[in-house]
């Protein structure tokens, strides 16, 4: 999803990772440039991939105060019941509204029962709340930050309920509540009830699964055992192309950031990567979460010394670095280029041209 500001929650783990792993040296080699890759300075740190043109147009119009292109765009996703794309668009529009919600307020005033405007609103509120908190550990977060966070975040719950009421079959309103659950500390039983609301409507919603996995990680409300169990269940029942095979890979990574090089090449992790590769190959080309999986695959394939396969993934995402694992580094573009450089060198002379 564009920008992924909601994933400020993930940044709590970033500080630990930086202490363990350090950072990567900047720059990109002549070989990488000769192979057609972008330099470090040209990597976009705000996105994992280019935004769809129609979403870019809607965001540009919203920045001018015109909500109508956003309304038309969101209506199409609702009519087509494309819940994955609907989540991507609602999240991106919500991030824009967290900066300035005048256009969204005008939209809701003009169409108070519009389920699409109602859907964007809780995305905006959750995004704003997490921005107010910041991505630091609790001990590093100030009293005013927490006060703003806890003042704003609960508002999203009524907004989620309103959006769900206006479009009862839509799982998308419940996705921002996952991030509210993280921040408000939902007990497991309440999280389970929220999860039922989502999976009853879409059992393989990738964005929802990715958010829920964060909740079950040890750094938030769960443990390694719970996160791995959640990821395995989701992947086991998912059809090819759903991209849910990424979840066991992410769960492993979230709990093994201090892994040794040999750990990445273990048969178990190689099997996880192979499953994710097959899933990516089966996915529709415009799946909103596919670029993020490709970033993760490029990283793991390089760690596994499968350099040519890694370069293939790097080629498909080059120029954009707001994805795991790069966002866990202080300098994401430098980290990306460092690992990409290793893949290009390892792949050999073929990749010079």
């Amino acid at each position: 999803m564009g920008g992924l500001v909601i994933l400020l929650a993930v940044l709590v783990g970033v500080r630990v990772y930086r202490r363990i792993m350090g950072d990567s040296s900047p720059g990109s080699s002549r070989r990488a440039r000769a192979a057609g890759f972008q330099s470090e300075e040209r990597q976009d740190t705000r996105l994992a991939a280019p935004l769809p043109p129609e979403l870019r147009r809607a965001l540009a119009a919203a920045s001018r105060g015109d909500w109508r292109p956003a309304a038309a765009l969101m209506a199409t996703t609702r009519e087509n019941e494309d819940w994955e794309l609907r989540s991507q668009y609602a999240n991106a529009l919500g991030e824009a509204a967290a900066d300035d919600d005048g256009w969204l307020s005008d939209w809701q005033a003009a169409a108070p029962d519009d389920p699409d405007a109602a859907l964007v609103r809780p995305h905006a509120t959750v995004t704003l709340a997490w921005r107010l908190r910041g991505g630091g550990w609790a001990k590093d977060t100030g009293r005013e930050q927490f006060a703003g966070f806890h003042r704003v975040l609960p508002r999203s719950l009524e907004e989620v309920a309103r959006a769900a009421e206006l479009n009862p079959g839509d799982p998308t309103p419940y996705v921002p509540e996952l991030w509210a659950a993280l921040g408000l500390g939902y007990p497991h039983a309440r999280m389970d009830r929220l999860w039922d609301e989502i999976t009853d409507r879409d059992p393989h919603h990738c964005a929802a699964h990715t958010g829920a996995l964060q909740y079950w990680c040890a750094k938030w409300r769960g443990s390694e055992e719970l996160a791995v169990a959640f990821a395995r269940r989701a992947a086991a029942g998912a059809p090819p192309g759903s991209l849910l095979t990424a979840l066991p890979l992410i769960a492993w990574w979230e709990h093994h950031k201090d892994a040794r090089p040999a750990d990445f090449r273990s048969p178990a992790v190689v099997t996880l990567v192979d499953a994710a590769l097959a899933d990516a190959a089966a996915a529709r080309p415009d799946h909103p979460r596919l670029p993020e999986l490709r970033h993760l695959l490029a990283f793991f394939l390089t760690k596994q010394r499968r350099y040519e396969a890694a370069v293939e993934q790097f080629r498909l995402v080059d120029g954009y670095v707001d994805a795991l694992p790069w966002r866990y580094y202080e300098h994401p573009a430098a980290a990306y280029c460092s690992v990409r450089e290793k893949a290009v060198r390892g792949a050999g002379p073929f990749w010079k041209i």
Side-chain angles (χ1 to χ4, degrees):
M1 293 184 283
L4 291 177
V5 174
I6 288 179
L7 290 185
L8 276 169
V10 178
L11 295 179
V12 171
V14 172
R15 300 176 186 275
V16 172
Y17 182 63
R18 289 175 185 164
R19 287 200 297 269
I20 294 170
M21 300 298 288
D23 216 334
S24 297
S25 58
S28 54
S29 73
R30 184 180 305 172
R31 177 176 293 187
R33 293 193 300 271
F37 288 107
Q38 300 288 340
S39 67
E40 178 188 331
E41 293 74 21
R42 299 188 67 180
Q43 302 298 325
D44 190 325
T45 59
R46 302 163 301 169
L47 300 170
L51 293 177
E54 60 274 15
L55 177 56
R56 289 202 307 270
R57 290 192 291 269
L59 289 168
S63 71
R64 299 189 299 269
D66 183 1
W67 53 267
R68 289 168 296 182
L73 186 67
M74 292 302 296
T76 299
T77 65
R78 172 168 43 84
E79 292 159 3
N80 293 339
E81 297 188 351
D82 190 337
W83 306 135
E84 207 72 63
L85 200 60
R86 185 167 173 81
S87 284
Q88 181 193 30
Y89 291 172
N91 182 66
L93 291 165
E95 288 182 350
D99 291 329
D100 180 356
D101 72 345
W103 61 273
L104 179 56
S105 295
D106 290 346
W107 181 6
Q108 291 188 288
D113 294 326
D114 188 328
D116 305 321
L119 174 61
V120 174
R121 177 57 71 182
H123 281 82
T125 300
V126 170
T127 298
L128 177 59
W130 280 100
R131 286 182 183 175
L132 290 170
R133 183 199 185 279
W137 286 108
K139 66 182 180 62
D140 300 320
T141 302
R143 183 176 300 176
E144 289 186 5
Q145 290 172 281
F146 271 127
F149 180 65
H150 288 293
R151 182 181 68 253
V152 172
L153 191 59
R155 294 203 318 244
S156 68
L157 302 184
E158 289 186 8
E159 295 165 354
V160 165
R162 176 60 174 162
E165 177 187 16
L166 291 171
N167 195 26
D170 184 0
T172 320
Y174 299 101
V175 176
E177 189 177 350
L178 292 169
W179 299 98
L182 202 69
L184 297 175
Y186 277 19
H188 291 180
R190 186 174 180 184
M191 179 64 171
D192 288 338
R193 291 194 294 272
L194 170 59
W195 192 239
D196 286 343
E197 296 286 1
I198 295 171
T199 54
D200 284 350
R201 292 162 174 81
D202 184 352
H204 308 301
H205 195 291
C206 188
H209 278 82
T210 303
L213 178 58
Q214 287 296 314
Y215 173 94
W216 293 111
C217 285
K219 66 185 180 185
W220 282 106
R221 307 297 175 186
S223 64
E224 179 176 359
E225 181 181 7
L226 289 171
V228 168
F230 173 83
R232 286 178 175 171
R233 283 195 305 272
S242 66
L243 305 188
L244 295 190
T245 55
L247 297 174
L249 198 58
I250 296 171
W252 186 89
W253 171 241
E254 288 285 359
H255 297 92
H256 296 87
K257 295 192 181 76
D258 58 347
R260 300 168 301 170
D263 296 333
F264 287 88
R265 299 191 294 274
S266 70
V269 178
V270 170
T271 297
L272 295 180
V273 171
D274 287 344
L277 279 168
D279 211 3
R284 74 190 209 200
D286 65 342
H287 193 299
R289 308 294 295 198
L290 182 56
E292 293 184 61
L293 176 55
R294 293 198 186 283
H295 279 283
L296 196 63
L297 284 169
F299 174 76
F300 270 88
L301 289 164
T302 304
K303 291 287 189 179
Q304 293 175 352
R305 301 176 181 171
R306 300 160 72 178
Y307 297 123
E308 290 190 12
V311 170
E312 291 286 358
Q313 299 300 321
F314 277 118
R315 279 200 178 281
L316 293 168
V317 295
D318 196 52
Y320 301 85
V321 297
D322 185 28
L324 289 177
W326 324 120
R327 68 164 64 100
Y328 273 26
Y329 290 85
E330 186 174 2
H331 302 291
Y336 169 88
C337 288
S338 177
V339 178
R340 187 195 64 190
E341 168 68 12
K342 184 175 182 180
V344 170
R345 288 183 179 277
F350 173 78
W351 295 107
K352 290 181 180 179
I353 57 174

